């Protein structure tokens, strides 16, 4: 089918939650994509931080093929070997003790919200259920996670929101401290807010949240759906900041595109989920766990977190060189989560980049966001920067 044919079919039969998507990709290889009309693109969006290994990584493809030929799914009524192996891999590479598996970031955060409430009740704080979250956060699209997401645009039309969330500005320790009361049970925060505009925490902020939680016996929960899996330069984002949370949620890059999410917790918190308290039919089934095991092993074996630092710095440097000539406010981010902050026409620039063969996204109306695969090389970065420069010369 051509792009036009795919678009016509999708427009007629799919509920229009994504607007005009304009492109239809049909093939991927490494950091490249091809659309239905045969045009090639450099993919610096990485499926919204999902394709950490690029497209068609042989280790992931082989793991999926082998697992598919064996057994795809049996349910969580039975032990699942690759799920157990995946759990060990994640625990061995974190400060957490046990995992729960689900299918998405929103579901991982649902599990975190539930376990935080349960932990408070299990520990004598029967009236503590409030969770503090941050303005401009993003935690998912279920009712609980849009409520956790402190951005009014995600709430409109879906009221009433779930009870028990309190919002404070990101990076503001005083406001957070002031919001804590006897009803508070947890704080949920992204180490870096990605959807919110690539917002970086100040030095000491995450540490301050940790201290606040210790002071008031609250659970500190990091939403690492986007920042885990090596993207910030360490396997988990929290390891870049030296602050250990009690709960971590992850998803996106975990299965390289096969849907899987996970909530990791310290033992004392993990103990609040017991048989019957939580479950997911597909959570960590054979297929997604096999894909995730291959993905995690590859990121670790090939030291891709280290490559993310090198390539991220190289990308930031290349973009900074455009600052004198074009309306760039700043380049911010860490590892391979980078935002080019513009003072005008960011949406137009994103569209022009795509026209010129670079896939990226405009976030929050003024930030061009880059989430490329972690295994890119300097030639890919140079290609991306050249396309951004060419696009800027056309837009500005
Ligand atoms: C994408 C994202 C989510 C939601 O994940 P889904 O898989 O879309 O449900 C939650 N938190 C963060 C930080 C994300 O980036």
């Amino acid at each position: 089918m051509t792009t036009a044919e795919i678009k016509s079919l999708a427009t007629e039969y799919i509920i229009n939650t994504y607007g005009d998507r304009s492109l239809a990709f049909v093939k991927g290889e490494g950091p490249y994509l091809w659309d239905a009309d045969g045009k090639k693109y450099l993919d610096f969006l990485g499926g919204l931080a999902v394709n950490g290994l690029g497209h068609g990584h042989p280790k992931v493809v082989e793991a999926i093929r082998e697992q598919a030929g064996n057994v795809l799914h049996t349910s969580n009524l039975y032990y699942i070997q690759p799920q157990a192996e995946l759990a060990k891999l994640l625990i061995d590479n974190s400060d957490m003790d046990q995992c729960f598996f689900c299918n998405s970031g929103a579901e991982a955060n649902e599990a975190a919200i539930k376990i935080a409430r349960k932990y408070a009740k299990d520990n004598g704080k029967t009236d503590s259920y409030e969770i503090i979250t941050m303005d401009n956060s993003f935690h998912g699209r279920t009712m609980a996670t849009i409520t956790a997401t402190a951005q009014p645009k995600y709430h409109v039309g879906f009221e009433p929101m779930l009870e028990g969330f309190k919002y404070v500005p990101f990076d503001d320790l005083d406001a957070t401290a002031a919001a804590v009361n006897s009803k508070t049970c947890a704080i949920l925060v992204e180490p870096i807010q990605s959807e919110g505009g690539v917002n970086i925490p100040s030095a000491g902020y995450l540490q301050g949240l940790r201290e606040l939680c210790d002071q008031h016996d609250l659970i500190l929960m990091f939403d690492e759906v986007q920042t885990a899996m090596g993207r910030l330069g360490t396997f988990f984002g929290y390891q870049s900041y030296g602050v250990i949370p009690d709960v971590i949620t992850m998803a996106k890059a975990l299965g390289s595109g096969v849907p899987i999410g996970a909530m990791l917790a310290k033992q004392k918190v993990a103990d609040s989920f017991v048989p019957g308290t939580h479950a997911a039919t597909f959570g960590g089934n054979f297929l997604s766990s096999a894909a995730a095991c291959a993905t995690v092993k590859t990121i670790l074996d090939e030291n891709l977190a280290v490559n993310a630092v090198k390539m991220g710095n190289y990308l930031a440097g290349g973009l900074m060189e455009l600052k004198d000539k074009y309306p760039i406010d700043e380049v911010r981010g860490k590892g391979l989560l980078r935002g080019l902050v513009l003072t005008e026409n960011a949406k137009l620039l994103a569209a022009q980049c795509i026209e010129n063969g670079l896939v990226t996204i405009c976030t929050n109306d003024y930030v061009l966001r880059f989430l490329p695969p972690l295994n890119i090389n300097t030639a890919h970065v140079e290609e991306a920067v050249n396309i951004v420069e060419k696009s800027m010369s056309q837009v500005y």
Side-chain angles (χ1 to χ4, degrees), residues 48 103-107 109 138-141 190 192 194-195 223-226 251-252:
L48 281 167
N103 312 288
S104 67
E107 253 186 280
N109 285 328
F138 185 80
H139 298 297
R141 298 291 205 133
E190 300 153 84
I192 291 180
S194 184
E195 307 286 335
D223 179 341
E224 293 231 26
V225 169
Q226 205 157 134
K252 293 215 160 85

Side-chain angles (χ1 to χ4, degrees), residues 251-324:
K252 293 215 160 85
L254 182 54
S256 284
V258 179
I260 180 167
M263 180 197 66
L264 282 57
K266 285 285 206 188
Q267 195 64 53
K268 63 169 188 179
V269 181
D271 286 345
S272 281
F273 271 180
V274 296
T277 43
H278 200 51
T281 296
F282 292 120
N285 79 2
F286 279 93
L287 180 70
S288 61
S289 293
C293 278
T295 305
V296 172
K297 279 185 198 152
T298 304
I299 288 175
L300 295 170
D301 292 348
E302 298 182 6
N303 273 324
L304 292 180
V306 173
N307 195 56
V309 174
K310 284 189 201 147
M311 293 305 115
N313 289 337
Y314 193 51
L315 174 64
L319 294 172
M320 275 307 283
E321 279 178 22
L322 308 176
K323 194 167 186 266
D324 289 344

